[in-house]
Amino acid sequence: MKQETIHDLDLEVAASTFAALGSEQRLAVLRCLVRAGTDGLSIGELGQRTGVTGSTLTHHMKILAQAGLVTQEKQGRSIICAAVAFDEVRALSAFLLRECCADAETQDHDHG
């Protein structure tokens, strides 16, 4: 069975996105935003829920936004910086599962 090669760009994008999640605080922020749904949260509410505030939260949001995982939008005097890019999160999950069990039938199960 011929093994398909993962497209280099897909691998590069996925690695960059996973790197953005390589912080407990950023992962907590993203999980909070996923829970909030498509309406997102104001920066203040996000800070209250996660315990990450001020310049630290701004820094983490910038990294998550650059990775395409969150969006930031000004609404009146508030910044709704917490609307999650659900399509990107789904694409990341699909990347991980795309070749799930592809090699299972070629493995020798008699060793163990």
Side-chain angles (χ1 to χ4, degrees):
M1 174 181 213
K2 183 182 174 190
Q3 182 176 1
E4 256 182 63
T5 307
I6 297 172
H7 190 272
D8 289 341
L9 182 60
D10 287 348
L11 193 58
E12 185 178 326
V13 169
S16 174
T17 305
F18 280 116
L21 296 174
S23 154
E24 287 181 29
Q25 287 184 331
R26 281 194 294 277
L27 195 53
V29 166
L30 183 63
R31 288 182 69 199
C32 183
L33 298 179
V34 168
R35 288 179 57 94
T38 56
D39 289 341
L41 298 168
S42 69
I43 190 86
E45 181 66 22
L46 180 59
Q48 286 179 338
R49 291 187 186 189
T50 62
V52 182
T53 58
S55 61
T56 301
L57 180 55
T58 301
H59 170 74
H60 289 317
M61 285 301 298
K62 180 179 178 183
I63 291 170
L64 291 170
Q66 287 173 338
L69 294 170
V70 300
T71 59
Q72 298 180 2
E73 181 181 317
K74 190 167 177 82
Q75 290 183 359
R77 291 172 42 174
S78 298
I79 295 178
I80 306 300
C81 62
V84 175
F86 286 98
D87 289 342
E88 298 302 325
V89 174
R90 285 186 189 101
L92 195 59
S93 296
F95 172 83
L96 284 177
L97 299 173
R98 182 180 312 153
E99 297 181 32
C100 178
C101 308
D103 295 335
E105 62 187 58
T106 63
Q107 294 176 357
D108 183 2
H109 296 289
D110 295 334
H111 297 290

